[in-house]
Amino acid sequence: MKSPAHRTRDIERQAGYLKPEHCAPPPPRTGSDTMWFIRDGCGIVCGVITWILVFYAEFVVVFVMLLPAKNVAYSLINGALFNGLAFLALASHARAMCTDPGAVPKGNATKEFIESLQLKPGQVVYKCPKCCSIKPDRAHHCSVCKRCIKKMDHHCPWVNNCVGENNQKYFVLFTMYIALISFHALIMVAFHFVFCFEEDWSKCSSFSPPATVILLILLCFEGLLFLIFTAVMFGTQVHSICTDETGIEQLKKEERRWAKKSKWMNMKVVFGHPFSIAWLSPFATPDHGKADVYQYIV
């Protein structure tokens, strides 16, 4: 008895069964295709909100807490650390948002392309009926991106993109750096409250005491909320990478059909070979290898 997952993927090997005549030829690539950006209203709003919240935290940290501080070394060290982490967080967000997550070429389920694969006995290909593409193993269709995404983990509105094979590193770095600046901001808020209680409130900030309290409370609420959210997301992403199982695969409980690798090797597949400081850089593009993901043995 076959499971539902088997039934949905049990497709004949003949090109004719895939009905390639129903698919138009893939559109030619133009210069505008070089930059990946999803035109989704909700995702764009969430992305803008993310940047606004980071800039709000920057404003409160710099102008409310650090500049009025009497200890210059304290202000310089914490300012450099917070601004550096915030810059890396925004850079990671931009890379996660504007990097092709691993979209399958749209409309390539043509008879010519299927025959060019020269399928051997035991090899199959799957066609996505929504985007008319030859669907690689472990790829799933995203209704927001309107494309099949290789190793799709989930669609995240906060980065206005899918998290997939090509941008998972940047998404993990984004969650890590947001968690770090949230934790750092909470520590500075705690120190600032202690300082203001011991000193005159009018001297601990260039703003009025009521405005200072409101700004600090809002930053504390923002930092606590995003620390919990991003720390949990960071942990689930690292666990997903180590087990080599995407969020969708875990949710659907799909049968494992790919080779099992060590946790360290799975990390290097996402962050690059070999281990280096580039793992922490959103500007370093990892090497994912050149495996043929369109075919596999059943």
Side-chain angles (χ1 to χ4, degrees):
M1 189 69 176
K2 292 186 177 182
S3 64
H6 281 131
R7 287 197 296 269
T8 58
R9 302 178 72 87
D10 188 13
I11 301 178
E12 297 288 345
R13 301 187 186 94
Q14 288 78 10
Y17 187 83
L18 296 175
K19 298 181 180 179
E21 64 276 4
H22 293 175
C23 295
R29 291 184 63 85
T30 61
S32 61
D33 294 329
T34 56
M35 181 176 177
W36 178 271
F37 186 78
I38 301 301
R39 295 174 177 83
D40 175 58
C42 176
I44 294 174
V45 170
C46 288
V48 172
I49 290 175
T50 300
W51 281 65
I52 291 175
L53 290 175
V54 173
F55 283 128
Y56 171 77
E58 285 267 6
F59 170 77
V60 176
V61 167
V62 174
F63 293 98
V64 178
M65 293 190 288
L66 295 183
L67 288 182
K70 297 179 180 179
N71 192 325
V72 177
Y74 172 84
S75 297
L76 290 176
I77 293 174
N78 283 282
L81 180 60
F82 185 87
N83 283 280
L85 292 175
F87 172 75
L88 290 173
L90 292 178
S92 300
H93 182 272
R95 290 299 303 271
M97 180 170 57
C98 298
T99 299
D100 182 347
V104 179
K106 196 171 185 178
N108 68 349
T110 60
K111 184 176 181 180
E112 293 76 13
F113 180 75
I114 296 171
E115 291 177 346
S116 69
L117 294 177
Q118 298 180 348
L119 301 179
K120 300 176 182 178
Q123 290 182 324
V124 295
V125 291
Y126 303 122
K127 170 190 168 184
C128 175
K130 297 178 181 178
C131 59
C132 220
S133 301
I134 296 299
K135 192 173 182 180
D137 188 28
R138 306 187 69 184
H140 294 84
H141 186 86
C142 175
S143 58
V144 179
C145 297
K146 296 180 174 58
R147 299 287 289 276
C148 282
I149 307 297
K150 303 171 190 174
K151 289 186 68 175
M152 175 181 168
D153 187 87
H154 68 288
H155 184 92
C156 179
W158 294 105
V159 297
N160 188 34
N161 202 0
C162 277
V163 178
E165 183 178 76
N166 294 341
N167 69 341
Q168 189 172 25
K169 170 191 173 180
Y170 310 126
F171 181 76
V172 173
L173 291 181
F174 167 67
T175 58
M176 181 183 74
Y177 287 127
I178 289 294
L180 288 176
I181 64 173
S182 298
F183 182 67
H184 189 198
L186 288 173
I187 292 177
M188 286 190 289
V189 168
F191 276 111
H192 200 72
F193 266 119
V194 172
F195 170 74
C196 289
F197 278 125
E198 292 178 350
E199 301 288 338
D200 185 359
W201 273 86
S202 60
K203 297 180 180 179
C204 72
S205 174
S206 55
F207 295 87
S208 65
T212 300
V213 172
I214 292 174
L215 290 172
L216 291 177
I217 290 177
L218 289 176
L219 178 61
C220 189
F221 177 76
E222 175 192 342
L224 186 61
L225 181 65
F226 277 91
L227 173 61
I228 295 174
F229 177 75
T230 55
V232 171
M233 183 60 70
F234 173 77
T236 56
Q237 284 294 300
V238 172
H239 177 266
S240 175
I241 293 171
C242 290
T243 58
D244 193 19
E245 192 175 21
T246 66
I248 291 182
E249 290 166 349
Q250 294 175 12
L251 184 65
K252 293 185 175 181
K253 298 181 179 180
E254 295 184 357
E255 180 185 358
R256 191 184 188 97
R257 296 186 173 196
W258 52 95
K260 188 175 183 180
K261 300 184 291 290
S262 66
K263 294 180 180 179
W264 185 242
M265 181 58 68
N266 290 330
M267 291 289 288
K268 289 196 289 186
V269 168
V270 173
F271 290 94
H273 301 266
F275 171 75
S276 68
I277 193 66
W279 279 26
L280 302 177
S281 171
F283 303 103
T285 303
D287 180 14
H288 299 292
K290 299 179 180 179
D292 182 6
V293 296
Y294 285 95
Q295 305 177 25
Y296 65 97
I297 303 298
V298 294

